């Protein structure tokens, strides 16, 4: 039996009526926004299950926009996120998908485009108490929580790439909590996701970017 902590029950400090529909949704969007390397220019949200049915009443839509704008769960501006998004020139849309019942009921797909033209697609799940899981990046199945400082490496699935990543991490004395590699198929695009106990310096991320067969590196700091 898994241990359950008090904060898993009462959830985080937050603005809004529901830890799953407000805090969790915001955290998914905040993680998605951090995967862009420029300011977001447009975003599309596709909501499933309970999210799709109740997002207006629970403020999930405001929370999602607030996360894209970089707010945290205690930010009082969450309730004004629509007007703040308009002021920032952010284009946004919400779509309901109640047909797909094979996904977790608190699931959202987020398609982001940055001002530099970069595009990122992620799928996230709010699992309760404000906790989340990112389950897809650009169509590739992944799994991470955003509760640790996280390094996301997009790479070619070829020998030597993971070894190069771990060598850099060891040289920077980074203590790895979790490290997983995900891929579409042998020799295709892959993602190595590293969750660390402490800070991951930008210098380490930059060194990994310089390695052969690395396409992109994203550093998410909590």
């Amino acid at each position: 039996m898994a241990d359950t902590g008090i904060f898993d029950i009462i959830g985080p400090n937050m603005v809004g009526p529901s830890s799953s529909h407000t805090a969790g949704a915001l955290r998914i969007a905040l993680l998605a926004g951090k995967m862009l390397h420029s300011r977001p220019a447009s975003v599309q949200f596709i909501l499933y299950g309970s999210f799709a049915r109740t997002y207006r009443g629970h403020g999930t839509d405001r929370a999602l926009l607030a996360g894209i704008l970089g707010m945290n769960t205690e930010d009082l501006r969450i309730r004004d996120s629509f007007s703040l998004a308009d002021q920032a020139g952010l284009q946004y849309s919400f779509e309901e998908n109640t047909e797909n019942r094979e996904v977790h009921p608190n699931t959202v797909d987020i398609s982001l485009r940055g001002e530099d033209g970069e595009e990122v697609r992620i799928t996230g799940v709010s699992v309760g108490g404000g906790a989340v899981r990112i389950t897809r990046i650009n169509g590739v199945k992944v799994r991470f929580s955003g509760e640790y400082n996280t390094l996301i490496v997009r790479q070619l699935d070829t020998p030597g790439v993971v070894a190069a990543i771990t060598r850099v991490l060891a040289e920077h004395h980074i203590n790895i909590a979790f490290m997983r590699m995900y891929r579409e198929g042998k020799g295709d695009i892959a993602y190595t996701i590293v969750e660390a106990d402490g800070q991951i310096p930008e210098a380490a991320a930059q060194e990994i970017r310089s390695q052969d067969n690395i396409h992109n590196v994203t550093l998410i700091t909590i």
Side-chain angles (χ1 to χ4, degrees):
M1 181 180 294
D3 293 334
T4 300
I6 185 66
F7 289 105
D8 297 320
I9 299 170
I10 65 172
N13 293 331
M14 62 182 183
V15 175
S18 165
S19 61
S20 293
H21 287 247
T22 307
L26 185 147
R27 286 178 170 170
I28 294 169
L30 183 61
L31 289 169
K34 289 182 176 181
M35 293 181 203
L36 278 180
H37 295 86
S38 66
R39 289 179 55 187
S42 65
V43 58
Q44 179 192 44
F45 303 101
I46 302 177
L47 300 106
Y48 298 84
S50 179
F51 269 4
R53 292 190 298 272
T54 65
Y55 72 95
R56 292 187 180 91
H58 281 161
T60 307
D61 47 3
R62 293 194 299 273
L64 288 167
L65 276 178
I68 296 298
L69 293 172
M71 299 179 204
N72 62 42
T73 56
E74 300 176 36
D75 198 317
L76 295 178
R77 296 175 299 164
I78 293 171
R79 56 177 61 96
D80 301 318
S81 60
F82 275 94
S83 60
L84 292 171
D86 292 338
Q87 292 172 26
L90 177 65
Q91 299 178 23
Y92 53 86
S93 64
F94 295 87
E95 180 181 330
E96 303 164 21
N97 184 327
T98 55
E99 306 296 323
N100 187 346
R101 299 185 179 181
E102 297 183 359
V103 299
H104 188 284
N106 294 335
T107 296
V108 59
D109 291 335
I110 302 178
S111 297
L112 270 169
R113 181 173 55 82
E115 291 181 336
D116 62 357
E118 179 189 12
E119 296 184 350
V120 174
R121 292 177 292 111
I122 74 106
T123 299
V125 176
S126 177
V127 296
V132 305
R133 287 197 307 266
I134 302 302
T135 59
R136 285 186 182 270
I137 301 176
N138 295 328
V140 178
K141 288 184 179 180
V142 301
R143 183 185 177 94
F144 70 96
S145 66
E147 295 177 0
Y148 296 84
N149 293 302
T150 304
L151 189 73
I152 301 171
V153 182
R154 186 174 186 267
Q155 69 209 53
L156 184 65
D157 178 38
T158 192
V161 177
V162 173
I165 294 169
T166 55
R167 176 184 57 77
V168 172
L169 296 175
E171 289 175 352
H172 285 266
H173 307 288
I174 295 167
N175 193 36
I176 298 171
F178 304 100
M179 181 173 177
R180 307 178 183 92
M181 200 271 277
Y182 307 88
R183 64 183 186 180
E184 295 176 325
K186 184 178 180 180
D188 289 336
I189 294 298
Y191 287 89
T192 295
I193 297 180
V194 178
E195 297 174 281
D197 290 323
Q199 294 294 318
I200 303 174
E202 176 57 36
Q206 187 60 42
E207 191 171 341
I208 292 171
R209 288 187 189 101
S210 69
Q211 304 297 311
D212 293 338
N213 297 308
I214 299 294
H215 293 182
N216 200 355
V217 176
T218 300
L219 181 58
I220 297 176
T221 302
I222 60 172

